[in-house]
């Protein structure tokens, strides 16, 4: 149990004993300043207001009933009726000692093993993955890792876009190239170039354009020849994404792909069902759903097309089929979507229609977790110098090469192989962390210099902090992983670090519930910073430090490193022995 919960329970009991209604919350929070103790309870104030009684007198009564023997060293009544709690050093020491011995670092698995579907990454396969796919991919993956660590049964769903009208054009182009005896791998080596060529062809050549249009219809109708060409294209495009996932240390594999095309056979049924329930109506041959719930200022309902007048289905139709699949086949309790904020209206429409039509049970939680845009330093969406989209592959290459240069400069003692390995982890880590550490819902500015800085809230700083701890153990000739000792709290820096480490579970639970990874970033950054100040003030290996103190501080260092590397691992960022 975390300390906050423990304190809340005890204070609730005291509040009831003091005659306060048991519905009143104790409102325990971390103190904002050290003078106010380690925690404060602010709930008495509200209770006094409701009871129309003097809050300070009521708080005094609560304090008289409060039993924090062995937990707190001092209680204070502050301000109009706050209770400040100073924790006893011995209590903090025993708590943090057991956390340090615990294989899961004090983080318990949740009792309810929820089935959680996470929809993320989902690039459109017609083109190469570009920076626009980065955020969904890495934010989604870190939330997946946190949920899994907390014991949820997670199903990754990569809802790749592989079924739009562009595919007619792309397979016609592929057919053309294969006809000229080009090998498919070669023709599709650069998907971006291939797309441009196909588009050019389409615009310039009416015969080709007609073939392309025919192929869309044939493909969706299951024509074997078109299907085969399409499959060749998709296989190469998926392999390209997988390669990027690997480079990014993202856990998605081919097994997680459940692309738009996989719902093709369900689409007609979705529309029929919507019509049967009078949710969809015919509008000049097209099928539409009008949502009054999302009406505009003038009261006009929000229209959603689920089938075009020509018979074609849409992005929204596949999304409805996906909800149904996730409910019926995957039996999800919760579905999280990591998609650009610009699709917020689309998601609202889908969730509403799905619930109305009963494609998902009422209890199934459908959550869109939107994110902002990655901007260049000029404050406009991030582009190449020439104004084109930046390929993700190029961005990662540049990150690794910049980081490798830095590592080479900083540590001349490393071998060439070590530099390559460390440069890769630092470069990829920096790009990911720069993104994850910003509040998801905002746009953010992509800036090489700040993300690769060894100071501040960056991946290199955190990775470096961890290597510092590992080097202390090397210097002491003690194996970090097998070191065991009781932690003693003497100095304030030890106490502050220990209290921070003890919040690990609470922070992860928060991240699992609201899906904001920056909370975890801020937390690991606090751990690293508090470790640094502990390390400055509390000598470990210096002469004159008692054996007991040395071992205790080593243990606190070990736990700091473990929490830091576990936290970074859950963010998808790798740590290392030295850098
Ligand atoms: N392929 C889509 C895009 O690039 C994202 C798909 C997100 N997932 C979903 N179920 N709609 O915009």
């Amino acid at each position: 149990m975390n300390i906050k919960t423990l304190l809340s329970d005890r204070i609730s009991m005291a509040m009831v004993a003091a005659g306060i209604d048991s519905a009143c919350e104790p409102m325990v929070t971390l103190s904002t300043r050290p003078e106010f103790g380690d925690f404060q309870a602010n709930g008495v104030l509200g209770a006094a207001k409701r009871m129309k009684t003097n809050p300070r007198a009521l708080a005094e009564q609560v304090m008289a009933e409060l039993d924090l023997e062995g937990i707190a060293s001092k209680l204070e009544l502050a301000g109009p009726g706050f209770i400040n709690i100073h924790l006893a050093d011995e209590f903090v020491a025993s708590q943090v000692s057991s956390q340090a011995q615990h294989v899961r670092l004090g983080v318990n698995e949740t009792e309810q093993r929820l089935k959680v579907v996470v929809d993320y990454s989902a690039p459109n396969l017609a083109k190469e993955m570009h920076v626009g796919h980065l955020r969904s991919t890495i934010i989604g993956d870190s939330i997946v890792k946190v949920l899994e660590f907390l014991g949820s049964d997670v199903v990754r769903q990569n809802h790749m876009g592989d079924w739009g009208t562009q595919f007619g054009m792309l397979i016609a182009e592929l057919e053309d190239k294969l006809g000229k005896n080009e090998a498919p791998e070669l023709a599709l080596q650069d998907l971006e170039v291939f797309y441009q060529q196909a588009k050019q062809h389409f615009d310039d050549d009416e015969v080709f354009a007609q073939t392309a249009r025919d192929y869309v219809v044939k493909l969706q109708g299951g024509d074997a020849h078109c299907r085969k060409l399409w499959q060749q294209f998709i296989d190469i495009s998926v392999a390209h994404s997988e390669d990027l996932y690997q480079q990014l240390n993202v856990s998605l594999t081919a097994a997680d792909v459940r692309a738009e095309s996989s719902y093709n056979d369900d689409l007609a049924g979705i529309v029929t069902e919507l019509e049967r329930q009078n949710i969809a109506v015919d509008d000049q041959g097209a099928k539409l759903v009008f949502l009054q719930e999302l009406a505009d200022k003038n009261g006009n309902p929000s229209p959603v097309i689920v089938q075009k007048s020509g018979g074609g289905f849409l992005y929204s139709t596949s999304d409805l089929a996906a909800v149904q699949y996730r409910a019926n086949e995957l039996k999800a309790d919760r579905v999280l979507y990591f998609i650009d904020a610009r699709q917020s209206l689309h998601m609202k429409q889908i969730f509403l229609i799905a619930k109305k039509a009963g494609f998902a049970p009422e209890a199934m939680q459908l959550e869109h977790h939107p994110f902002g845009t990655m901007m260049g330093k000029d404050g406009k969406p991030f582009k190449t110098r020439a104004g084109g989209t930046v390929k993700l592959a190029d961005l990662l290459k540049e990150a690794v090469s910049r980081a490798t240069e830095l590592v080479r400069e900083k540590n001349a003692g490393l071998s060439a192989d070590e530099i390559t390995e460390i440069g890769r982890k630092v470069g990829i880590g920096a790009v990911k962390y720069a993104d994850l550490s910003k509040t998801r819902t905002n746009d953010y500015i992509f800036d090489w210099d700040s993300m690769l800085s060894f100071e501040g809230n960056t991946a290199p700083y955190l990775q470096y902090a961890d290597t510092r701890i590992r080097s202390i153990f090397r210097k002491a000739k003690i194996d970090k992983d097998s070191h065991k000792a009781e932690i003693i709290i003497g100095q304030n820096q030890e106490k502050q670090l220990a209290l921070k480490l003890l919040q690990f579970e609470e922070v992860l639970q928060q991240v699992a519930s609201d899906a904001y990874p920056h909370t975890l970033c801020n937390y690991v950054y606090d751990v690293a910073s508090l470790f640094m100040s502990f390390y400055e003030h509390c000598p470990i290996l210096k002469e004159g430090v008692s054996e007991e103190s040395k071992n205790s501080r080593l243990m606190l260092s070990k736990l700091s490193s473990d929490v830091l590397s576990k936290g970074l691992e859950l963010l998808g960022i790798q740590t290392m022995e030295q850098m």
Side-chain angles (χ1 to χ4, degrees), residues 55-285:
R56 279 184 70 96
L58 187 62
E60 253 165 48
Q61 259 175 288
V62 173
M63 281 163 69
E65 298 289 346
L66 185 54
D67 177 17
L68 289 177
E69 179 71 39
I71 297 172
S73 57
K74 193 165 85 176
L75 294 178
E76 277 164 347
L77 172 58
F82 303 127
I83 302 171
N84 293 345
I85 302 151
H86 298 255
L87 294 173
D89 289 351
E90 304 73 38
F91 171 71
V92 176
S94 81
Q95 293 286 307
V96 79
S97 289
S98 46
Q99 184 187 10
Q101 314 269 345
H102 187 234
V103 274
R104 292 178 48 90
L105 307 170
V107 181
N108 296 299
E109 294 199 41
T110 41
E111 288 124 52
Q112 266 180 305
R113 203 173 151 77
L114 290 185
K115 186 72 159 283
V116 186
V117 169
V118 185
D119 179 321
Y120 68 112
S121 192
N124 289 329
L125 294 181
K127 290 197 186 171
E128 191 154 332
M129 261 176 104
H130 58 81
V131 295
H133 301 116
L134 186 67
R135 303 207 72 185
S136 174
T137 306
I138 63 184
I139 296 171
D141 206 51
S142 77
I143 300 302
V144 160
K145 285 170 175 157
V146 170
L147 286 165
E148 279 185 337
F149 185 56
L150 290 178
S152 287
D153 182 1
V154 177
V155 184
R156 296 160 177 77
Q157 290 282 281
N158 196 346
H159 190 88
M160 285 176 157
D162 63 346
W163 208 235
T165 43
Q166 301 121 312
F167 286 92
M169 174 182 94
L170 293 169
I171 59 180
E173 181 70 14
L174 183 60
E175 181 180 47
D176 198 64
K177 290 230 154 56
L178 298 184
K180 293 177 183 141
N181 271 329
E182 264 190 63
E185 288 76 16
L186 203 66
L188 298 173
Q189 204 173 28
D190 189 321
L191 290 169
E192 212 56 37
V193 171
F194 184 85
Y195 187 91
Q196 300 307 338
Q197 287 170 348
K199 180 86 177 67
Q200 193 77 53
H201 210 162
F202 186 87
D203 292 340
D204 296 349
D205 180 344
E206 189 36 49
V207 180
F208 178 84
Q210 195 46 53
T211 311
R213 284 190 283 265
D214 289 347
Y215 279 12
V216 183
V217 182
K218 280 187 162 175
L219 175 66
Q220 308 211 336
D223 174 82
H225 173 66
C226 285
R227 190 82 196 193
K228 192 173 156 216
L229 284 166
W230 173 82
Q231 193 65 54
Q232 268 178 311
F233 183 92
I234 295 300
D235 287 348
I236 291 173
S237 189
V238 170
H240 162 85
S241 304
E242 281 190 276
D243 179 41
L244 284 167
Y245 295 147
Q246 244 168 31
Q247 285 185 49
L248 275 169
N249 185 35
V250 158
S251 63
L252 282 168
T253 69
D256 307 312
V257 175
R258 177 105 194 153
E260 283 180 33
S261 62
S262 67
Y263 299 107
N264 193 42
D265 295 343
D266 308 329
L267 302 180
I270 292 284
V271 175
T272 315
E273 183 58 21
L274 288 173
E275 283 192 286
R276 191 186 66 80
Q277 295 190 42
N278 293 322
I279 295 173
V281 294
D282 188 285
D283 190 39
Q284 295 166 37

